[in-house]
Amino acid sequence: MRTAMANRLTPYMFMAPAVVIMAIALLYPLGYMVWGSFRDWNPSQSIGEAEFVGLKNYITLWGDPNFHESLGVTLRFAFFVVSIEMVLGVGLALLLDRDIRGMSVLRTMFILPMMIAPVVVGLMWRYMYHPTIGTFNRFLESIGLPKVDWLGDHALTSIIIADIWQWTPFIFILSLAALQSLPRSALEAARIDGATGWQQIIHIKLPLMMPVLIVTGLLRLIDAFKVLEVILVMTNGGPGLSTEILALRISRTATEFRELGVAAAMSNYLLILLLLLTVAMFAFTRIQEARAARLRMAAEDD
Amino acid sequence: MSQNTRSNPAFFAVIALLVFMSVGPVILMLANSFKLDVDIISGTGGLLFLPTIQNYETALCDVLWYEPDHLDFCALKFGGAFVNSLIIALISTVLTLVIGCMAAYALVRFRFMGRDTVSLSTLMVRMVPPAVLLVPVFGLWNNEFCLDKDGLIGGAIRDMVGGRGDVCLAGTHSGIILIYVAMNLPFVIWILQSFIVQVPRSLEEAARVDGAGPFQVFFKVVLPLIKPGLAAAAIFTFRIAWNEYLLASALSDRNTKTVPILIVNNMSEFNVEWGVIMATGMLLAIPPIIFTLMASRQIITGMTAGAVKG
């Protein structure tokens, strides 16, 4: 009798620590943030002392040109980073999908950039982009080309390049795994039917990889909104606001301008944006799946 | 067709270029960390230079057993920060793994919640950027998660440590560990689930017939079988806890600073001492690099399990 009781309680006992910790340190803070975003709140006050101002923070932000600029930078950064990385990563996977001796060594080297701390990545690239002592400008100088003001005039491009360096391998490795788990029979059949390499890629490999590619793209997109340390170290959002992505703006609003309420409201905008993107991606996948299923049904009816 | 391309020199050139591009910056940083600032700035030598460990001596001056000649004052407390980073990363990794493992097991085996619900909520939580947590965590850890200084435990701690005010989570190792565990749990649960699903049920039932309780089944049968998954999850958790900057900077005080904070603080000074900074960066990068070289297979398994199977 007692063992039966214990057995019934086991799953809850196994779950309890995780649930408690996530409730205390994730869900409660998120709720706290929503609550705080309606207040005029600075770091020296506790939330109870802060004055309730209703939607004022949200409305101020909605009309704030700096916030618009920052939002634009974030969206541009995320868009370019994800699309370039997807093209490069999937392209490389298609190119390198063959049995090369030492493939595991290659993969080890490719994941190295991802494992290194973002702070260190920012540090390395800030050095390489340095106007006088940096590697790139030295190289340009040595072959007689004019110097480029990497982190000045071209700051956004420069941080996009650094992110591509760090995260293209992620997409490469996931799409390589997807490629290698494709059903051999489909590829075999295509080859026998005389499909060229390109035809195989476009009509067979890419469609079959699509589910994995969508998940990968989504994960990368979510992460692109989280990038902060690399940019913080490289440009600290400058020059002007040209690289100040939302995550960075939130942290500066909270720590430099000491406006926790506004930072909380901004965090909420960012969360809503991410939620919309995720839901849109999911809906898109579902629609695609439904269409594929309909096509299959139609094909079977014939 | 594949025979042709395999022996194609252009193909190998592409691979060589890729390797050069991905490893080059790291090698460059390693080389620069052994150079004096004068050499870095004048740019002489390229890869041919006289290596010096002076930068590392400057960085590690607070834990060295001798006093480096070139230094009259130890400004950079790197050793202390390194120890803090180590404590925080190791403890939070162990906690996340134990808790996450139990939760993943319960979710898979007892199915009182759909797997889809978990995948979806994991994705949702993964969506939350650390920057979004910054404001509430700062507020809560400083103001709400406190023990009253007049209370029994709070009073005892206050007497021990000293200071005024209430005893709060902010500024302690445990405060930073708590948020890291919470941040990493969803991901760990997600990865481990995909491994636990593969453990044959019959094995567990056999153990149960032999009279093992649920905890024994878990620790003696399931855990040994999902070791690769555990390794992958451990590396990812450690990596995040070891590399994280933003939340640590909001929660730590002078004594609980981690290495990333130290590096960022030194980078924002007007005159960047490139050699020393590169040495600290290299020291921070070494543990993840070692993991990568030793366990790249597990890392790749973990990455693909997260996305391909999830």
Side-chain angles (χ1 to χ4, degrees), chain A residues 93-246:
Chain A
L94 289 169
L95 185 70
L96 299 182
D97 174 33
R98 50 192 72 169
D99 12 300
I100 310 164
R101 227 176 304 134
M103 191 60 202
S104 60
V105 180
L106 268 183
R107 280 195 295 193
T108 310
M109 286 180 185
F110 289 157
I111 53 178
L112 213 52
M114 278 184 268
M115 302 302 286
I116 294 177
V119 169
V120 179
V121 171
L123 165 72
M124 290 190 300
W125 284 85
R126 179 158 156 197
Y127 168 73
M128 292 197 289
Y129 282 139
H130 195 281
T132 51
I133 64 170
T135 319
F136 294 132
N137 273 353
R138 281 235 172 96
F139 176 71
L140 288 177
E141 214 175 8
S142 68
I143 57 171
L145 289 173
K147 286 182 177 179
V148 175
D149 189 7
W150 294 101
L151 293 178
D153 303 336
H154 307 282
L156 189 61
T157 319
S158 302
I159 59 171
I160 289 176
I161 293 176
D163 194 83
I164 290 173
W165 175 79
Q166 198 185 5
W167 287 104
T168 303
F170 176 73
I171 291 169
F172 164 73
I173 282 175
L174 289 191
S175 30
L176 190 65
L179 256 181
Q180 291 176 340
S181 63
L182 291 187
R184 288 288 140 198
S185 55
L187 294 175
E188 206 61 39
R191 205 168 304 139
I192 290 167
D193 286 349
T196 61
W198 278 110
Q199 283 173 334
Q200 283 181 36
I201 289 173
I202 291 172
H203 294 295
I204 299 178
K205 289 182 181 172
L206 283 183
L208 284 176
M209 281 162 75
M210 218 18 113
V212 176
L213 290 188
I214 288 175
V215 176
T216 313
L218 183 61
L219 289 179
R220 201 48 222 125
L221 187 68
I222 290 173
D223 283 348
F225 284 91
K226 290 187 186 173
V227 178
L228 177 131
E229 284 117 327
V230 180
I231 301 176
L232 175 82
V233 173
M234 274 168 60
T235 65
N236 198 11
L241 294 177
S242 59
T243 55
E244 194 177 66
I245 58 161
L246 264 185

Side-chain angles (χ1 to χ4, degrees), chain B residues 33-276:
Chain B
S33 70
F34 287 108
K35 280 187 197 174
L36 291 178
D37 274 4
V38 231
D39 291 333
I40 297 178
I41 289 166
S42 68
T44 44
L47 279 175
L48 293 170
F49 61 95
L50 200 65
T52 162
I53 57 162
Q54 203 174 313
N55 293 324
Y56 287 91
E57 282 178 333
T58 314
L60 294 169
C61 59
D62 61 334
V63 285
L64 282 184
W65 58 94
Y66 60 91
E67 237 167 82
D69 301 330
H70 63 95
L71 219 62
D72 25 291
F73 176 64
C74 183
L76 204 63
K77 301 270 188 290
F78 184 87
F82 196 83
V83 172
N84 283 332
S85 273
L86 214 56
I87 295 176
I88 290 171
L90 285 179
I91 297 185
S92 60
T93 306
V94 171
L95 281 180
T96 317
L97 276 193
V98 173
I99 297 172
C101 204
M102 286 162 50
Y105 180 65
L107 285 174
V108 174
R109 275 296 175 260
F110 303 101
R111 22 188 124 193
F112 57 98
M113 235 166 89
R115 226 165 99 71
D116 288 343
T117 330
V118 180
S119 310
L120 197 68
S121 50
T122 321
L123 196 66
M124 291 290 181
V125 178
R126 219 176 142 170
M127 209 178 69
V128 178
V132 166
L133 287 174
L134 177 72
V135 173
V137 161
F138 179 82
L140 282 173
W141 268 235
N142 271 307
N143 296 318
E144 312 273 317
F145 290 174
C146 293
L147 290 168
D148 194 353
K149 66 178 166 193
D150 300 323
L152 195 62
I153 311 171
I157 297 178
R158 195 79 299 175
D159 288 343
M160 234 157 54
V161 189
R164 276 167 284 146
D166 295 339
V167 184
C168 292
L169 261 183
T172 63
H173 288 134
S174 8
I176 305 177
I177 291 171
L178 175 66
I179 186 67
Y180 285 173
V181 172
M183 253 171 42
N184 282 319
L185 264 180
F187 182 65
V188 166
I189 295 177
W190 197 17
I191 281 198
L192 288 180
Q193 261 199 97
S194 65
F195 283 89
I196 294 177
V197 168
Q198 294 165 3
V199 174
R201 248 200 129 95
S202 52
L203 267 182
E204 290 173 47
E205 268 150 23
R208 207 160 296 145
V209 170
D210 289 345
F215 280 92
Q216 271 178 311
V217 171
F218 176 66
F219 283 106
K220 296 212 170 131
V221 180
V222 179
L223 271 194
L225 284 174
I226 56 166
K227 264 187 200 148
L230 285 176
I235 292 172
F236 279 93
T237 323
F238 182 85
R239 178 187 137 240
I240 291 180
W242 181 257
N243 293 344
E244 211 276 337
Y245 160 76
L246 187 66
L247 292 170
S249 80
L251 291 180
S252 67
D253 63 7
R254 201 147 32 91
N255 300 319
T256 46
K257 254 190 209 158
T258 57
V259 182
I261 303 176
L262 198 90
I263 293 180
V264 172
N265 286 350
N266 280 299
M267 283 299 280
S268 42
E269 277 166 21
F270 183 68
N271 256 333
V272 180
E273 292 177 2
W274 283 107
V276 180

